[in-house]
Amino acid sequence: MLDDAFFDYLRGIDCSDVEVYSIPEGSVVFPKVPLMRVEGPVAVVQLLETPFVNLINYASLVTTNAARHRHVAGKSKVLMEFGLRRAQGPDGAISASKYCFMGGFDATSNVLAGHLFGIPLRGTHSHAYVSSYMSLDEIPDRTLRNKDGSKICKDFVSLVKEWLCKIQAADSLRNVFGDTNQSELAAFASYALAFPSSFLALVDTYDVMRSGIPNFCAVALALHDLGYKASGIRLDSGDLAYLSIETRKVFHAIEKEFNIPGFGKMVITASNDLNEETIDALNKQGHEVDAFGIGTYLVTCYSQAALGCVFKLVEINSRPRIKLSEDVAKVSIPCKKRCFRLYGKEGYPLVDIMIRESEPSPKAGERILCRHPFLESKRAYVVPQHVEELLHCYWPGSSDKPRAELPPLLKIRSRCMQQLEKLRPDHIRRLNPTPYKVSVSAKLYEFIHYLWLNEAPVGELQ
């Protein structure tokens, strides 16, 4: 049981003496480079550790996961986040939608996230919606006004049935389509009546090629008669590569048979527990999918469930501190530091370097020695063509330091995409990527090892 006085103490805390420096949101970052630098009274800063690490870990993890999916899917494909039902609670779902969009996704099915953050909304009806219909007789209001508003179709369902008969009798499609599931046709027609300008049908409730595709085409052609353009179909099961290719053939045949320009380019969306590996496999097989709806593996970060960001004390009362470990990877880099990204002639970042705050900043065109923090033999001279300082002040506290602006989500997303495009291809390839170099200045290197020797007790052998 905690004493009430502790909570009274917490109520009286403010952050007026705290300064927060951070790498801009949407930036590509690498291990060992500080994402944030927090300065202030040790008790207050220690209390900020848990919320800061909590907020950074999942956001960075899911944004990275989204960026990896975007990389494997390619720039031309539409990516939709469908993870609301599988995310870790409603808060996790909202965060996932926001950070997947930041990492390169185009839309979300999460309506609240769309409302809160301005993320485009995309989705389809469910299998339950399709199977809830029994027959076409269940559609009471069959009227639909033309898109230009000039007239009203009094029986849209009859128009759909006419088009289905035409498809079944078409020379180019003869013996391809037989009888279709009429309850599915009723669901599609009803959905089209409600959303004529954004009709996207889930076609695998019963049978994709024998029922879902012909039923969709009948409704899409009826909408075309009234000036609307259907959005496309979604495949949620089966052999996605084969089904997408066969579906595309049907769409092209419909375009040619009935002279409907653009019908062959109807959007094909795929879902069904997709991840990096399945999308990569689809790319290698060949497919006709235009958009991917990705949920479980995206928002739960299935391939890596957590990110190991940590919070370390590196200086107190102007005295540098170091955390030692038998595992060198866990040895902290002491001192209050500034961080820079050095770019080469081709525009790619070459190396990130950390320097002590008292050191002069690296400058473009000037040679600087970059050293591995712990391995003596790993070092290189770099002559950068461009130098970017990474840490910016976002919370100056009571100081008069200028405060960096927090950009809107869309601008952060653009920064993320630009940052990824700047990376050398071998750094982001899926198989055996080249490790990106993170270094320290010669002075910081010498100080790290000086402090290390001072803080490590000397053993005695007997």
Side-chain angles (χ1 to χ4, degrees):
M1 179 70 70
L2 290 174
D3 195 296
D4 288 344
F6 176 67
F7 293 100
D8 293 336
Y9 162 73
L10 293 179
R11 288 189 190 97
I13 285 178
D14 67 54
C15 292
S16 59
D17 294 326
V18 175
E19 296 178 20
V20 178
Y21 299 79
S22 174
I23 296 177
E25 199 167 14
S27 301
V28 171
V29 292
F30 300 96
K32 287 295 183 187
V33 177
L35 302 182
M36 299 177 72
R37 189 179 82 220
V38 186
E39 304 175 17
V42 66
V44 178
V45 171
Q46 192 67 60
L47 287 170
L48 291 173
E49 172 185 354
T50 297
F52 277 3
V53 173
N54 174 271
L55 290 168
I56 290 170
N57 265 321
Y58 182 69
S60 302
L61 180 66
V62 76
T63 305
T64 300
N65 200 28
R68 290 175 63 93
H69 281 81
R70 166 55 70 193
H71 179 66
V72 72
K75 295 180 183 179
S76 64
K77 303 301 180 185
V78 173
L79 294 182
M80 298 172 286
E81 177 267 311
F82 282 179
L84 175 58
R85 300 177 186 180
R86 306 290 173 80
Q88 287 92 339
D91 294 339
I94 292 291
S95 297
S97 298
K98 176 182 178 180
Y99 292 109
C100 286
F101 181 69
M102 188 185 297
F105 272 59
D106 299 291
T108 180
S109 62
N110 188 332
V111 175
L112 180 57
H115 173 70
L116 291 174
F117 307 121
I119 302 171
L121 293 171
R122 293 281 292 274
T124 62
H125 55 73
S126 64
H127 292 111
Y129 171 81
V130 176
S131 58
S132 70
Y133 281 82
M134 301 297 289
S135 74
L136 290 162
D137 296 332
E138 296 178 2
I139 304 175
D141 184 1
R142 303 182 173 201
T143 60
L144 181 61
R145 186 179 294 275
N146 278 34
K147 187 172 185 180
D148 62 10
S150 60
K151 59 180 180 178
I152 295 176
C153 173
K154 294 183 178 180
D155 193 345
F156 179 72
V157 174
S158 293
L159 183 59
V160 169
K161 290 166 71 175
E162 289 174 16
W163 271 112
L164 182 59
C165 291
K166 290 178 183 178
I167 292 170
Q168 291 167 335
D171 291 336
S172 59
L173 298 169
R174 192 171 296 281
N175 299 322
V176 174
F177 300 131
D179 293 336
T180 65
N181 187 295
Q182 294 299 289
S183 63
E184 180 182 59
L185 184 64
F188 288 179
S190 180
Y191 193 73
L193 283 164
F195 303 101
S197 296
S198 55
F199 173 60
L200 197 154
L202 179 58
V203 296
D204 68 334
T205 303
Y206 300 111
D207 188 294
V208 173
M209 299 310 301
R210 291 189 177 92
S211 183
I213 294 302
N215 280 340
F216 164 78
C217 289
V219 175
L221 289 167
L223 286 172
H224 179 267
D225 279 354
L226 304 180
Y228 298 99
K229 187 179 187 304
S231 296
I233 61 118
R234 176 160 74 99
L235 300 168
D236 192 49
S237 61
D239 186 333
L240 299 178
Y242 169 78
L243 290 172
S244 67
I245 290 169
E246 293 302 306
T247 297
R248 183 68 68 203
K249 290 177 182 177
V250 172
F251 289 165
H252 281 303
I254 293 285
E255 177 178 349
K256 185 176 180 181
E257 179 73 26
F258 301 108
N259 193 25
I260 310 292
F263 201 97
K265 296 180 180 179
M266 192 73 71
V267 172
I268 298 174
T269 300
S271 48
N272 186 31
D273 279 341
L274 298 176
N275 56 33
E276 283 183 79
E277 286 69 30
T278 52
I279 295 173
D280 187 49
L282 285 169
N283 290 340
K284 290 173 180 175
Q285 293 174 55
H287 64 86
E288 286 292 335
V289 176
D290 303 295
F292 294 102
I294 309 172
T296 305
Y297 288 90
L298 176 67
V299 301
T300 63
C301 301
Y302 193 88
S303 60
Q304 181 179 328
L307 193 64
C309 288
V310 293
F311 192 94
K312 295 297 180 186
L313 178 72
V314 295
E315 189 168 299
I316 187 165
N317 297 327
S318 300
R319 296 179 63 184
R321 308 305 297 145
I322 189 171
K323 192 273 179 190
L324 300 179
S325 171
E326 291 183 4
D327 181 358
V328 175
K330 291 190 175 182
V331 175
S332 65
I333 298 177
C335 305
K336 184 177 178 180
K337 298 177 288 294
R338 296 167 66 200
C339 306
F340 298 86
R341 184 158 293 167
L342 310 183
Y343 291 82
K345 293 180 180 179
E346 295 180 346
Y348 295 125
L350 298 174
V351 61
D352 286 1
I353 185 169
M354 292 171 272
I355 66 172
R356 299 190 70 174
E357 191 187 38
S358 58
E359 292 185 64
S361 304
K363 296 178 181 178
E366 293 186 3
R367 191 169 77 156
I368 182 171
L369 178 61
C370 298
R371 302 203 63 166
H372 189 284
F374 309 120
L375 301 179
E376 186 176 13
S377 62
K378 288 194 173 183
R379 54 189 178 168
Y381 283 108
V382 177
V383 180
Q385 301 302 302
H386 170 63
V387 177
E388 176 188 6
E389 185 159 7
L390 297 180
L391 291 169
H392 302 270
C393 181
Y394 284 94
W395 181 263
S398 56
S399 74
D400 57 359
K401 295 176 182 176
R403 179 177 179 173
E405 291 186 7
L406 291 171
L409 181 60
L410 197 59
K411 196 168 182 179
I412 296 172
R413 182 182 187 275
S414 297
R415 176 178 176 82
C416 184
M417 298 300 97
Q418 291 165 4
Q419 289 263 304
L420 289 167
E421 288 176 0
K422 285 182 180 179
L423 291 179
R424 225 170 53 207
D426 59 303
H427 286 312
I428 55 175
R429 64 190 177 204
R430 295 190 71 243
L431 185 63
N432 298 323
T434 303
Y436 182 82
K437 294 178 178 62
V438 172
S439 67
V440 296
S441 66
K443 288 185 178 180
L444 181 52
Y445 173 86
E446 290 169 3
F447 186 78
I448 290 169
H449 292 268
Y450 163 79
L451 191 62
W452 191 335
L453 292 175
N454 271 5
E455 297 293 343
V458 179
E460 181 176 331
L461 300 178
Q462 296 182 3

